[in-house]
Amino acid sequence: MKAQTFLQLPPQLVEDSASNNGSSVAGDCFDDDFLSDAGRESPSNADSLAEDSDDEAVAVSSADMARLRAMSYDRSRDRRCDCDEDDDNSHNTNDSRDQSRTRPRTRQRPQLRIQDVDLALDMGGDNGGDGDGAYQPLVSILPRGTKPVRLVGEGAANAVFEIKLPPGSRVGAQFQGKLLRVAKAPSLGRAPTSSDYYLRQQEFFIREIQPHLGEHAVSQELVVLHKSGIVDDLNAMLRDMNHQRKPKFQGSFIGHASWGFLVEDMRPNGDDGSILIEFKPKWLLQSPSAPKGAIRCRQCALELRNYLRTPGSKSPRPERRPCPIALANPDCPQQVASPFRIAPQLSALQDDARVQAILDKIIHHKAIQKLRECQKSLDHVGPLLPPTNLDFVVAMTLRDCTCFALVPSNDDEEIKLRFGDFDFKDPEKKFNHWRGTEQDLIEGGFYTADWVVCGDSYYHPPSLCSLEWSGKPRTGDAVILLMEDNTTKHNKLSSYQKNGSPSSAKTGKTVYRHTADLAALHKGLEPFKRETGGVQSDSIYNNPLRCDPRRG
Ligand SMILES: O=P(O)(O)O[C@@H]1[C@@H](OP(=O)(O)O)[C@H](OP(=O)(O)O)[C@H](O)[C@H](OP(=O)(O)O)[C@H]1OP(=O)(O)O
Ligand SMILES: Nc1ncnc2c1ncn2[C@@H]1O[C@H](COP(=O)(O)OP(=O)(O)OP(=O)(O)O)[C@@H](O)[C@H]1O
């Protein structure tokens, strides 16, 4: 199925689910009684959304109603993916995308009949729950008078708030342990965020993410904001605390919308001694389109590129960032295996065996293994070719999700590990970026570089990738990133000079030329300087597996 068309519903499902409700869909409204009744009866009952109608009623279009029913139907089917059973036999070629496969490749329980759809809706989350007993309606309704308590976090696209229901609200239990996640306004003019945006995101979550990750995904449900008046309060809060926000997010606000998401609150419970570790696992396998001679995984290559572009003291050095190939990988070389790389804020506790054991448990958690298996099974081609099916888009989403690990204070209790941030990535908007990044990494030599050379100084690339420490020593040309100063007028134009092809000409070196702030680079790379003459350093950066240009 084409990525662009994936969210359209099968026509018979729309018709059937609408006709199951007769004329009740025509009103497409629900009212305040329903708001206050939401806790007593199933708030996910789309019939209720549609039945009552008065002056105060909230409109939900019949198309949206049908989509909600279809989502409920989808969620009621236990569609677990079979990625962990995926083997190379099912993909005997890696050089073209598998266009024939239908999506998602899931193991299905016997399907519900169409007449069961209403039952699925009425039962709310009972048959779509994730097993921990949490109540998961398909749709909740935010009571009027609900207020934001604090901004929990924000990214480029969304902001997440703790909220407080009005005193005496009868639906408190339904919102317990949940945060409000809302989309930022797409433009300065603060155009409202369409209902379609929220419904599509939720459809993507239910149809494409949950079948893969199941209970490992942070639960997310739709919430109707209409009439709660909360968006203005959220924006007032953002405005009041603007100066405390990260500079890149200052001045961004929430888009007006009738919908939002309730997401499972992964924060520690304040006083119980639990802690939250948050990191992005990123690409847990090498990119399928990485060059054959790569000694660095996609993420380590990207981190290296980003650091060399802006080598200031504020830029995180790649060797301190997690190497994704080391996560959930029992064969990972011990030189790169420090679990503190997912939690640099705890690095002062390197000698603390308990903290070490906790972080070890996180990086070897079965959920990360599962994420890796899904990433593997969903993309065998990489980002150089345009996607022909949705699997690739899902793979890119799973390569950019966030891992929340909630660590209890009591070591006998389980770590609660969940993945979040599964926003749909529109391939029409993102493909050029994906392909461009991969080309940059390949053509700029970042996957393969043995040395970074600034003037007369040779530096080991400041990366600490599993691939650099495994496999045979590389033979052949030494690959060099030759850095030239971009602070002079002459070189200022680009930080990456596309040479057409790197220079090699029988020198034993393949040279890729780049520009950067050389003074900052010399400073940042000081610990990575190649030992010249005298005693060989046993520093981890004196890597015997890396190619030595003097041998070239
Ligand atoms: O390209 P990457 O791997 O750097 O990932 C981008 C992320 O950068 P990161 O390296 O995680 O800091 C980037 O994260 P930040 O905005 O830097 O926090 C976004 O998540 C981006 O996705 P989108 O444009 O929001 O859909 C991410 O883009 P894609 O995942 O769509 O490539
Ligand atoms: N379920 C949750 N529990 C606790 N904190 C959360 C939760 N979801 C998000 N956050 C916090 O809010 C921040 C921003 O959330 P989110 O990742 O949804 O924003 P985003 O705009 O989608 O991010 P990005 O820019 O990476 O796309 C997260 O980094 C995290 O700190």
Side-chain angles (χ1 to χ4, degrees), residues 422-450:
F422 296 110
D423 289 343
F424 172 65
K425 291 174 184 285
D426 183 346
E428 297 212 346
K429 294 188 185 136
K430 296 238 49 167
F431 177 65
N432 284 342
H433 164 73
W434 291 334
R435 178 168 54 191
T437 302
E438 185 75 332
Q439 277 170 345
D440 233 26
L441 298 181
I442 298 169
E443 293 165 16
F446 298 102
Y447 274 115
T448 47
D450 298 294

Side-chain angles (χ1 to χ4, degrees), residues 86 100 124 158 184 203 210 221 245 277 533:
D86 193 47
S100 57
N158 298 284
K184 291 202 174 157
E203 283 162 341
Q210 281 192 323
E221 75 211 49
R245 299 164 70 192
I277 311 269

Side-chain angles (χ1 to χ4, degrees), residues 213-251:
L213 297 180
E215 66 177 11
H216 302 312
V218 169
S219 72
Q220 173 177 292
E221 75 211 49
L222 283 164
V223 59
V224 179
L225 306 182
H226 197 85
K227 291 199 291 185
S228 70
I230 197 160
V231 175
D232 289 336
D233 291 339
L234 300 177
N235 280 331
M237 176 175 269
L238 289 177
R239 199 173 303 112
D240 289 348
M241 57 176 299
N242 200 36
H243 59 288
Q244 297 164 322
R245 299 164 70 192
K246 281 191 187 161
K248 64 178 175 182
F249 299 139
Q250 285 177 7

